[in-house]
Amino acid sequence: MTTLKIGDKAPNFESVDEKGNAVKLSDYAGKKLVLFFYPKASTPGCTAEACDLRDNYKTFLAKGYDVLGVSADSARRQQNFINKNELPFPLLADESKDVINAFGVWGPKKFMGREYDGIHRTTFVIDENGVIEDVITKVKTKEHANQILK
């Protein structure tokens, strides 16, 4: 789906998190970032993915990674998702889809025979210099941390 690949500069972005705080790529300069896009907060696959990342969050921090989730959900829905699952990382409420489109993860999907536009579950691992070092398009929701940390 996305045209971004390993070695590309990550698109600069600015959005708001679940608390309404402005978040931009430059906030993570000098740090590694796991930027994961998911279709919808509090759905089974997205919950499994977020909880797997939560359970491995200390490992990510120990290896120098920050974690940031993105969906088109409202800030309130993102905050509920965080509260319900005790997620330790921020979630962008990208209702305008600016970040989603910048990373090229919005497009046609099929589910139960129905075709619609939505977010393709994709994770980008971005290095300290803002360069993409991995793109994971076949996300295994229950073991996603292992895919990233391999």
Side-chain angles (χ1 to χ4, degrees), residues 42 75-85:
S42 299
R76 195 170 120 239
R77 193 169 165 98
Q78 298 289 43
Q79 186 63 66
N80 290 342
F81 190 38
I82 287 172
N83 294 346
K84 192 167 148 192
N85 298 289

Side-chain angles (χ1 to χ4, degrees), residues 26 31 48 51 53 56 64 69 78 90 108 121 128 130:
S26 59
K31 300 177 193 163
C51 290
L53 295 174
N56 292 281
Q78 298 289 43
R121 188 185 307 278
E128 302 88 335

